[in-house]
Amino acid sequence: LRSRYELSRKLCLDSTEWLARSQASRHHNPTSKEIFPNTELRLSKVRTYGFDFDYTLANYTAKLPETIYTMIRDVLVKKMLYPPALQALQYDRTFAIRGISYDRETGWLFKLDSNYNIAMDTVHYGREPLRDLEEVYSLHNGPHVAPDYVKSHLYQLNDIYSVPEATLLADVIQYFSEHNIPFHPRYLAEDIRTAGEYIHKGDGISLSPLHTEIMNNIGDYLNRAPELMQILNDLRGAGKRVFLLTNSGYQYVSAGLAYMFNTKDWRELFDVVIVSARKPSWYLSHRPFRLVPTGAKTNALPWAQVDHFEDGQVYSGGNLMSFTAITGYSDRNVMYFGDHIYSDLRDPSIQKGWFTGAIVSELKHELAVSQSPEYKQYVSYVQLIEKILKHSQQQTRSSGFMSLRADEKEAFQQLLDVGREERRRFRWKLRDCFNRNFGSVFRTEKYPSLFATKIRAFANVYTADMSNLGAYPSDFVFYPKRLTQAHEIRMPEVDDLLDEILSK
């Protein structure tokens, strides 16, 4: 057993050995330019394409989360009477990831897996890992979080906007703990959520503080997107119908698209434009549509009932039922792209059977890490250790093992513990490759993350950037990867066979 451990380290962690074998392998490495399917999808069936604006069509720079953090922090201090010393807090972009959960009773931040088990190596109180994990086991009688507790006490941080919120939650808790300031984690979460809504929505009449900041310095926050403009033109040229459905207001969306596409005539790219939609309630509400005054010529009045959509006009509010009735768009011929699991993906796929596409910008980082030599070495090593442990445990039932002396059996068990500790240590290294606090957006130690599970459940496809759609013809068929179950045989040689076929 000891020699097998040593050979595993040599084969997987020795850089010379690893480099020789990795160069010999011709497996395809996926790139962030690809679209990844969860289900089979025939684009020829899609007659209508819909798009969200924020973090879907709009590709923001790294400055935006820092600004969100700073603005929420300042609202806490200036409007909600939090300690002035908090204004010294600075945004750390390396701390949090999307998809983690905040416990409003304990103040813990952690990641859940697909089975609602807490990834114990991700539990944080403030900026520090929780010192006594027995507190977690005591609260939940193990790592599993019951559905009622999830519903009542956990705040899911699922969108990109929530990453600076998670960081601020941790920073404020850390400050309160270090200065012995009493607080309730639920009230802190509510205050940060209220401050976040204020900077995003303002007073509901004038432009919000965040949108004002972005519009005044639009080049600092938004990237131009001529390739997206070309995609929209190509879709309409191919006879597809295109609509925009966003929660953001008209003034902000208009400024953003005009900058991204370098034209004030961006409305000509869409058959229908819906702003201030109030998703996710939009999918189930009965709120009527309303004409948005934009200066475009029309005989309709802003307060009149909307029973049809005019070309070149913009509408606010509304609901899914009325949208379907007015447009006549067939449910199973519509595909909608967005970044938010609940606002963009879940309800349209469940309520109307729309095809959905998730924009997950973190894929760029995740793919870069997963294809690094270091990460591949660690994964291979952990998997090899697991196979050795499995084989070695099975040997404990053999007659040879039974004939060993008691001290020899004890030594063998100690070596098994060495392997288990080695496995645990390198799984922590795998976590740290992505994020030292919470690991991968898509994985926990053992299973897919809860975030990844929701993406799989509610999105037919997912990709890192909306511009990737332009690489696929309108009749392309996406075939999902065959997932093997525990009892099934894997066929890794298929990749090598395919490479051999394509090279000829």
Side-chain angles (χ1 to χ4, degrees):
L1 181 56
R2 185 180 293 109
S3 65
R4 285 173 178 168
Y5 289 157
E6 291 172 357
L7 182 58
S8 298
R9 291 185 67 88
K10 184 177 189 304
L11 290 175
C12 295
L13 301 182
D14 182 279
S15 58
T16 305
E17 288 271 358
W18 173 260
L19 183 61
R21 285 185 292 111
S22 63
Q23 288 176 340
S25 174
R26 296 184 297 182
H27 289 179
H28 165 69
N29 286 326
T31 74
S32 60
K33 298 294 185 181
E34 295 181 44
I35 294 178
F36 303 98
N38 290 321
T39 66
E40 184 171 322
L41 173 64
R42 298 175 180 271
L43 292 184
S44 60
K45 290 187 175 182
V46 180
R47 302 287 300 167
T48 304
Y49 285 85
F51 302 92
D52 183 30
F53 177 69
D54 294 295
Y55 282 109
T56 300
L57 291 179
N59 184 5
Y60 292 105
T61 68
K63 185 176 180 179
L64 181 57
E66 180 179 356
T67 298
I68 291 172
Y69 176 98
T70 302
M71 294 182 79
I72 295 177
R73 179 202 67 192
D74 291 348
V75 170
L76 291 180
V77 173
K78 296 177 181 179
K79 294 183 177 294
M80 306 179 82
L81 304 181
Y82 275 68
L86 292 181
Q87 287 194 282
L89 297 175
Q90 299 296 315
Y91 180 58
D92 177 6
R93 69 180 70 246
T94 68
F95 175 73
I97 62 172
R98 180 156 56 144
I100 58 178
S101 300
Y102 174 77
D103 190 321
R104 289 175 285 201
E105 288 300 303
T106 64
W108 301 335
L109 281 166
F110 50 78
K111 188 168 62 178
L112 289 173
D113 69 19
S114 55
N115 299 311
Y116 288 89
N117 293 313
I118 296 174
M120 301 300 288
D121 62 334
T122 68
V123 185
H124 281 69
Y125 184 72
R127 293 297 297 262
E128 300 175 357
L130 189 66
R131 293 188 179 89
D132 186 6
L133 292 178
E134 284 300 320
E135 292 183 50
V136 181
Y137 287 105
S138 176
L139 177 62
H140 297 291
N141 295 316
H144 180 69
V145 183
D148 287 346
Y149 193 94
V150 172
K151 185 177 181 179
S152 301
H153 301 304
L154 295 193
Y155 174 31
Q156 305 291 323
L157 298 155
N158 282 320
D159 63 5
I160 300 179
Y161 288 122
S162 64
V163 175
E165 289 184 23
T167 305
L168 187 58
L169 278 166
D171 287 345
V172 175
I173 289 175
Q174 187 70 32
Y175 178 86
F176 282 170
S177 299
E178 291 174 352
H179 293 82
N180 297 315
I181 299 175
F183 73 101
H184 195 289
R186 183 176 293 269
Y187 291 147
L188 174 59
E190 290 176 356
D191 288 349
I192 288 180
R193 183 83 283 247
T194 299
E197 290 180 354
Y198 169 74
I199 69 165
H200 278 91
K201 300 177 182 178
D203 56 14
I205 299 175
S206 55
L207 203 62
S208 74
L210 180 62
H211 288 173
T212 300
E213 164 65 19
I214 294 173
M215 288 176 63
N216 288 341
N217 305 277
I218 200 161
D220 293 338
Y221 293 99
L222 263 178
N223 293 309
R224 294 195 185 272
E227 69 283 358
L228 284 182
M229 184 177 179
Q230 186 61 51
I231 289 172
L232 297 176
N233 275 321
D234 290 346
L235 288 174
R236 297 197 72 188
K240 309 294 185 180
R241 296 164 299 198
V242 179
F243 68 90
L244 176 67
L245 175 65
T246 174
N247 284 349
S248 293
Y250 168 72
Q251 190 177 354
Y252 176 68
V253 171
S254 181
L257 289 176
Y259 176 80
M260 290 164 53
F261 298 152
N262 198 27
T263 176
K264 294 181 179 180
D265 298 327
W266 60 266
R267 278 174 289 177
E268 296 177 1
L269 299 168
F270 301 94
D271 293 282
V272 180
V273 176
I274 309 296
V275 298
S276 304
R278 300 186 186 179
K279 297 175 295 178
S281 64
W282 187 86
Y283 302 108
L284 295 173
S285 77
H286 297 280
R287 184 167 172 250
F289 283 104
R290 184 170 188 172
L291 178 71
V292 176
T294 64
K297 191 173 182 179
T298 179
N299 293 322
L301 299 172
W303 52 84
Q305 179 177 343
V306 174
D307 55 13
H308 68 283
F309 294 145
E310 297 181 29
D311 291 342
Q313 298 298 333
V314 176
Y315 300 88
S316 68
N319 61 84
L320 176 57
M321 185 181 299
S322 297
F323 180 81
T324 304
I326 293 173
T327 61
Y329 294 168
S330 176
D331 300 339
R332 290 304 296 173
N333 292 333
V334 178
M335 182 160 196
Y336 184 66
F337 286 91
D339 69 291
H340 196 286
I341 290 173
Y342 299 108
S343 291
D344 299 322
L345 306 174
R346 181 187 62 181
D347 286 329
S349 62
I350 292 177
Q351 300 299 331
K352 281 292 185 179
W354 286 5
F355 299 117
T356 51
I359 304 302
V360 187
S361 59
E362 293 90 344
L363 271 170
K364 297 174 184 177
H365 173 64
E366 297 269 330
L367 286 168
V369 169
S370 64
Q371 291 172 22
S372 67
E374 179 185 51
Y375 180 81
K376 290 181 178 180
Q377 287 177 273
Y378 291 168
V379 169
S380 298
Y381 183 54
V382 168
Q383 290 179 340
L384 199 52
I385 289 292
E386 289 172 347
K387 288 183 181 294
I388 291 172
L389 288 171
K390 176 185 175 181
H391 177 76
S392 300
Q393 289 175 104
Q394 289 172 334
Q395 286 187 323
T396 60
R397 291 189 170 274
S398 68
S399 57
F401 182 84
M402 295 300 181
S403 64
L404 293 176
R405 300 190 311 270
D407 62 319
E408 291 174 326
K409 290 181 179 179
E410 182 179 353
F412 186 82
Q413 291 296 337
Q414 288 175 351
L415 276 175
L416 288 179
D417 290 339
V418 168
R420 294 182 182 114
E421 179 58 33
E422 185 79 342
R423 172 178 175 266
R424 184 180 302 110
R425 191 165 65 88
F426 272 84
R427 285 169 74 158
W428 288 341
K429 287 178 178 288
L430 285 172
R431 175 203 64 189
D432 293 349
C433 287
F434 293 98
N435 177 282
R436 296 187 64 85
N437 303 303
F438 301 100
S440 167
V441 171
F442 289 89
R443 297 195 64 85
T444 62
E445 278 193 355
K446 303 175 185 176
Y447 308 108
S449 66
L450 182 61
F451 174 81
T453 304
K454 297 298 183 185
I455 291 292
R456 180 166 184 79
F458 301 129
N460 296 91
V461 298
Y462 62 101
T463 189
D465 193 285
M466 195 65 254
S467 62
N468 293 341
L469 181 62
Y472 295 85
S474 59
D475 59 351
F476 191 86
V477 181
F478 291 99
Y479 296 105
K481 195 174 186 179
R482 178 181 173 85
L483 299 177
T484 56
Q485 300 184 60
H487 67 281
E488 293 181 316
I489 299 174
R490 296 189 178 187
M491 305 291 285
E493 68 275 12
V494 168
D495 288 332
D496 288 328
L497 290 173
L498 179 61
D499 286 340
E500 183 178 341
I501 292 170
L502 294 179
S503 67
K504 294 182 177 179

